[in-house]
Amino acid sequence: MEDVTNSRTFSDAKKVLAFALKSTSAADKIKFYDSWASNYDQDVEIVEYRAPQLAVQSLVRHFPEERSNVQVLDVACGTGLVAAQLNKYGFGIIHGIDGSKTMLEQAKEKGLYQDLKQCMMGNDPLPVVTASYNAVIIVGGLSEGQVPCSVIPELCRVTKPGGYICMTTRTNTSNITYWRQLQGMLKQLEQQGLWEQVDVQQVNEWEKAVSEEESTGSPYISGIIYLYKKCTLRQSQQT
């Protein structure tokens, strides 16, 4: 029998990732991710995608005690790569949201989520009650052609006061415009007294580049991890 785990190549992953970052309609994007779901884990492993591991490690430092009762929302959860890392570090209550039904089916098979919901992030409010989670994390979704920056206030809304919001994005050439928009949104919420920046981690080797123009000087593209803490009511009133 053919070993399916070794059937994908860098060329395969390169083609599909290049398409994933193109701007398309929401409906077309969902169709694309539905069709990619069965190969997603293999393809991101091929390009040495490190964001799930690095983002969760950034979050872990702020939950040094028992994590089994920490409630985490994984936004744009995909097939569950972030949940696998959260589970590794002892987080016991993990809920996920994604726009692709087939991606959610893949995530469900991992058995790491207690709840999974489908939602068009950025277009619709997150289907979550305000101030529900100790931590909210979004890895990979905040990029050109993916989840619009308009989702950012929703990430803050569903986090409990004093809770943490962990976000990642690419900082390579093709994502510069989106990155600047994201920075503006993050700063705006900070100026409104809704959250405060806790940590920023720049990563040079985020994942392998999938275009020649992105691989000049290094075979990898760069990325960044942002960690914010939602302000309490008293903090918000003082700003």
Side-chain angles (χ1 to χ4, degrees):
M1 182 179 294
E2 181 184 2
D3 185 355
V4 178
T5 60
N6 294 324
S7 62
R8 300 287 287 180
T9 67
F10 180 69
S11 179
D12 294 327
K14 183 177 177 179
K15 289 177 183 176
V16 74
L17 279 162
F19 187 83
L21 299 176
K22 290 183 177 179
S23 293
T24 60
S25 68
D28 286 343
K29 187 65 69 176
I30 293 303
K31 289 179 182 178
F32 167 75
Y33 274 98
D34 282 344
S35 67
W36 189 21
S38 60
N39 291 320
Y40 180 85
D41 287 7
Q42 293 177 60
D43 287 348
V44 297
E45 183 177 359
I46 288 169
V47 298
E48 300 177 20
Y49 181 53
R50 303 170 61 214
Q53 176 186 355
L54 296 174
V56 171
Q57 288 174 348
S58 175
L59 191 62
V60 161
R61 292 193 287 270
H62 297 275
F63 291 94
E65 306 299 330
E66 173 64 40
R67 303 183 187 112
S68 61
N69 292 320
V70 175
Q71 297 173 303
V72 184
L73 178 64
D74 181 9
V75 180
C77 66
T79 61
L81 296 180
V82 170
Q85 293 295 322
L86 289 167
N87 180 260
K88 175 182 174 181
Y89 286 98
F91 290 92
I93 305 174
I94 310 170
H95 296 175
I97 293 175
D98 199 84
S100 165
K101 181 180 179 182
T102 312
M103 284 281 192
L104 289 170
E105 290 170 353
Q106 293 283 331
K108 185 177 181 180
E109 288 182 6
K110 287 185 170 68
L112 300 174
Y113 294 95
Q114 287 72 50
D115 184 63
L116 288 164
K117 290 185 173 72
Q118 187 175 8
C119 172
M120 284 301 299
M121 295 150 298
N123 295 336
D124 302 322
L126 295 180
V128 174
V129 175
T130 297
S132 294
Y133 293 94
N134 304 108
V136 173
I137 186 167
I138 179 167
V139 176
L142 296 174
S143 290
E144 186 68 40
Q146 305 296 308
V147 180
C149 291
S150 55
V151 76
I152 299 300
E154 280 292 286
L155 303 181
C156 185
R157 178 185 67 80
V158 302
T159 305
K160 293 180 179 180
Y164 292 88
I165 303 97
C166 182
M167 299 160 281
T168 75
T169 194
R170 297 171 176 85
T171 56
N172 56 315
T173 304
S174 63
N175 200 52
I176 290 297
T177 299
Y178 183 97
W179 182 27
R180 288 172 179 163
Q181 293 173 348
L182 176 62
Q183 288 176 306
M185 181 68 76
L186 300 180
K187 191 67 177 177
Q188 181 179 331
L189 267 65
E190 191 169 14
Q191 291 172 341
Q192 292 173 357
L194 297 177
W195 63 16
E196 58 184 3
Q197 188 178 92
V198 174
D199 191 25
V200 179
Q201 181 184 352
Q202 298 193 26
V203 181
N204 291 328
E205 296 185 356
W206 191 255
E207 64 185 53
K208 285 185 176 179
V210 295
S211 68
E212 291 183 8
E213 60 196 50
E214 297 285 2
S215 58
T216 54
S218 171
Y220 296 90
I221 65 168
S222 57
I224 193 166
I225 302 167
Y226 293 101
L227 190 67
Y228 281 79
K229 185 175 183 179
K230 184 172 179 177
C231 295
T232 62
L233 180 60
R234 179 176 295 180
Q235 288 175 312
S236 299
Q237 290 173 339
Q238 291 174 345
T239 57

